[in-house]
Amino acid sequence: MANWQGRTAEIANLKQWLNNPNIPLIGIEGIGGIGKSMLSAYIYENETIAGFRKRFWADVSSGAIFTDVATQVLQDFGFRVPEQETQLVQTLVKCLQSDEFLLIIDNLESLLKTNGIWGSQFYEDFFKTWVECGGKSKVIVTTRERPELPKRFQWLPLSGLKIEDGIKLLTALGIQGNLEEFVKLVDGYPLLLRFVADLLIEEYPQDPNLKRLENLGLGNLQQLLTDKKVVGQHRLENVGMVLVLDASFERLNELQKSLLQNISVYRGVVNAKAAMAVCLGSSETEIERELRNLVKRSFLSEKLIDDGRWFEFQPVVLEYVRYKAGDQRSAHQQAINYYQSIAKQQPWYTKDDIQEYLEIFYHFYQLADYDSAFEAIRHCDDFLTLGGYYANQVELYGQLVNKWSKTNDKENWHYTASLISLGNAYDSLGQYQRAIAFHQQSLD
């Protein structure tokens, strides 16, 4: 927030909607890197905009399961968590109706399939119920894509910064040259402006002037962004961003490149220990130093959490790095080895105690080794059942069943067992028709 510029019209709209009791949900929509999360953070941190008693920020970019998010929100807002998962949606809605809370759900597109269709029934139920019922609280979502929802909510389509605000941002970052022309060229795209600024400052700290871009391999930026073949705002911003990312990436040392590509297999935040596990041959001190250097170049952002420094990608940068990495099988296997080495042994008391097994499941799933993914989750299946984590079972076994059903691999007993587990989980959730359907498939 240190270099915040502009967005006065957007903030005015949000302030008006936040104070309107008939608008329970607000959506901020735009391409990656346009500033959706930053604008939400401004609202979240600015207590003068609306008088919320408590606030909660949920980043669901890694596909966070609804049970986990809902439980954390209820605990943070001082509301009793129900014993039955089946009551979570209604309890969360009642909690939001009971007082003036602000709930921000960042990167909602991660919960959607194509064309705005929900990937999770539990999130869909919550949002539809909240939009229909409403209450004292407000829910803000940021997303690249609009979900299917009833119309009782307000959308804010977000575009780039105004020219004068883009100029102020570059000036605050210490950049010189024809700022107005450059901001116009990139249509005020905030992430691109930030990357260019960081690149110039790192490479030419004494003279971070836009005329230096040619020396950095960006001499053809204007030509490409004004080419008539590049049609549509989204494509323009993609082209510009990729060019700048290419120029920045190529100026990294080999360890930094390898580090970025290998840690991109992880979900969410990573620390130096996790990074070292997928980047063999370097010390933890060396890894942490390079991670912090990558923060300076905007490839990563840094969070100070109780137990140390953690690092994460901005979604646009993560997509780019994964594309550059290509085949990531080796890194996924190293991540599995890392989580196996730190996985907690029984007895387990909370879901945090089995988090490593959930990560092992994820990495085996990415490797298309569905049998090993099944074994990882089966290892803690009794704990999930006894703890009442039925929604987790639905999410995990559902992913496996979707893959196996496409191959119709009826000889694989893991497939049959997953169908039975899905049937049992839906039975526990009280969704008996779905339970019957999956048990029937297992019998077939």
Side-chain angles (χ1 to χ4, degrees):
M1 307 299 290
N3 296 300
W4 179 269
Q5 302 294 342
R7 300 296 193 197
T8 50
E10 292 90 340
I11 291 168
N13 280 333
L14 289 170
K15 189 172 182 178
Q16 181 183 344
W17 298 336
L18 287 168
N19 289 296
N20 185 334
N22 297 316
I23 301 175
L25 178 67
I26 298 168
I28 302 176
E29 178 191 25
I31 65 169
I34 204 69
K36 303 182 297 295
S37 300
M38 187 65 77
L39 180 57
S40 300
Y42 184 90
I43 299 297
Y44 187 87
E45 294 185 10
N46 195 326
E47 295 184 6
T48 63
I49 289 178
F52 297 106
R53 194 168 70 81
K54 286 189 177 181
R55 298 147 193 259
F56 189 91
W57 184 288
D59 181 359
V60 297
S61 58
S62 301
I65 290 173
F66 176 77
T67 302
D68 299 340
V69 173
T71 300
Q72 289 169 3
V73 173
L74 290 170
Q75 289 173 342
D76 206 66
F77 288 168
F79 221 77
R80 189 182 68 82
V81 178
E83 292 183 8
Q84 298 295 323
E85 260 192 328
T86 51
Q87 300 168 358
L88 267 175
V89 168
Q90 290 299 331
T91 305
L92 182 55
V93 170
K94 285 179 183 176
C95 169
L96 294 173
Q97 289 174 328
S98 71
D99 209 329
E100 293 185 356
F101 299 128
L102 174 63
L103 172 60
I104 293 182
I105 298 181
D106 196 21
N107 298 304
L108 184 77
E109 72 278 350
S110 303
L111 306 174
L112 305 177
K113 296 179 181 178
T114 53
N115 300 322
I117 297 171
W118 292 93
S120 163
Q121 177 205 340
F122 305 102
Y123 278 108
E124 181 179 8
D125 289 347
F126 163 68
F127 278 106
K128 285 186 174 177
T129 305
W130 175 244
V131 168
E132 288 167 5
C133 300
K136 296 180 181 179
S137 300
K138 285 288 187 289
V139 178
I140 296 177
V141 300
T142 72
T143 183
R144 299 191 204 182
E145 184 183 359
R146 295 191 187 190
E148 282 191 348
L149 277 176
K151 292 184 178 179
R152 192 167 164 256
F153 63 104
Q154 197 72 45
W155 278 107
L156 178 67
L158 204 59
S159 54
L161 293 171
K162 291 180 179 177
I163 295 170
E164 58 268 28
D165 296 325
I167 293 170
K168 287 177 185 176
L169 175 60
L170 290 176
T171 302
L173 295 171
I175 304 304
Q176 301 154 15
N178 193 337
L179 306 184
E180 182 178 351
E181 181 185 357
F182 187 74
V183 174
K184 278 183 182 176
L185 178 66
V186 302
D187 202 38
Y189 188 14
L191 183 62
L192 194 151
L193 292 173
R194 183 78 204 211
F195 251 96
V196 166
D198 288 342
L199 181 60
L200 288 169
I201 290 165
E202 282 293 308
E203 297 298 329
Y204 301 104
Q206 303 304 320
D207 183 24
N209 195 300
L210 288 168
K211 65 185 180 185
R212 300 280 192 181
L213 289 178
E214 192 167 346
N215 302 343
L216 297 172
L218 290 168
N220 61 343
L221 187 63
Q222 181 163 3
Q223 178 188 342
L224 282 167
L225 291 183
T226 54
D227 193 320
K228 292 178 181 177
K229 293 178 184 176
V230 184
V231 179
Q233 200 56 45
H234 184 66
R235 285 193 65 200
L236 271 173
E237 281 147 347
N238 274 343
V239 168
M241 198 66 227
V242 170
L243 284 170
V244 172
L245 282 166
D246 276 341
S248 298
F249 188 82
E250 289 310 314
R251 302 190 83 79
L252 300 177
N253 63 43
E254 290 306 311
L255 175 56
Q256 290 170 338
K257 290 178 183 178
S258 174
L259 187 54
L260 272 180
Q261 292 174 332
N262 288 336
I263 67 171
S264 71
V265 299
Y266 285 115
R267 297 191 294 178
V269 296
V270 298
N271 60 11
K273 279 189 172 64
M276 188 171 66
V278 294
C279 205
L280 305 176
S282 300
S283 69
E284 188 175 336
T285 304
E286 189 179 10
I287 291 287
E288 183 155 320
R289 184 182 68 243
E290 293 299 5
L291 287 169
R292 295 179 73 179
N293 284 333
L294 289 165
V295 170
K296 292 179 184 176
R297 290 179 176 265
S298 289
F299 277 100
L300 298 171
S301 58
E302 184 179 358
K303 289 183 174 180
L304 291 174
I305 305 177
D306 295 340
D307 52 350
R309 297 180 186 277
W310 293 79
F311 304 86
E312 66 179 346
F313 285 94
Q314 204 274 357
V316 171
V317 180
L318 179 60
E319 289 173 9
Y320 171 83
V321 171
R322 283 179 174 170
Y323 172 77
K324 290 289 286 186
D327 186 353
Q328 293 184 290
R329 295 185 64 82
S330 175
H332 278 295
Q333 187 58 59
Q334 288 166 345
I336 290 167
N337 297 341
Y338 168 66
Y339 284 121
Q340 287 174 336
S341 72
I342 64 170
K344 294 180 180 68
Q345 300 303 311
Q346 296 189 55
W348 303 313
Y349 300 101
T350 69
K351 217 182 88 177
D352 286 343
D353 292 339
I354 63 161
Q355 189 57 44
E356 288 78 18
Y357 295 100
L358 301 181
E359 297 305 323
I360 291 167
F361 170 91
Y362 167 78
H363 289 287
F364 273 129
Y365 188 85
Q366 296 304 310
L367 289 172
D369 185 351
Y370 305 122
D371 290 313
S372 295
F374 171 88
E375 294 292 352
I377 201 61
R378 198 68 169 181
H379 184 68
C380 44
D381 187 67
D382 284 347
F383 172 82
L384 291 171
T385 301
L386 294 170
Y389 297 109
Y390 310 122
N392 291 73
Q393 291 174 312
V394 166
E395 298 273 358
L396 296 165
Y397 287 114
Q399 291 177 56
L400 294 175
V401 164
N402 285 339
K403 290 296 182 181
W404 277 321
S405 62
K406 290 175 183 175
T407 60
N408 200 26
D409 190 5
K410 293 185 177 179
E411 298 301 313
N412 186 344
W413 78 269
H414 289 161
Y415 180 26
T416 308
S418 296
L419 287 166
I420 294 170
S421 294
L422 263 182
N424 290 340
Y426 275 119
D427 178 35
S428 299
L429 288 167
Q431 298 185 30
Y432 305 120
Q433 288 300 330
R434 288 186 176 220
I436 289 168
F438 282 113
H439 283 310
Q440 186 61 58
Q441 285 184 59
S442 72
L443 289 171
D444 292 342

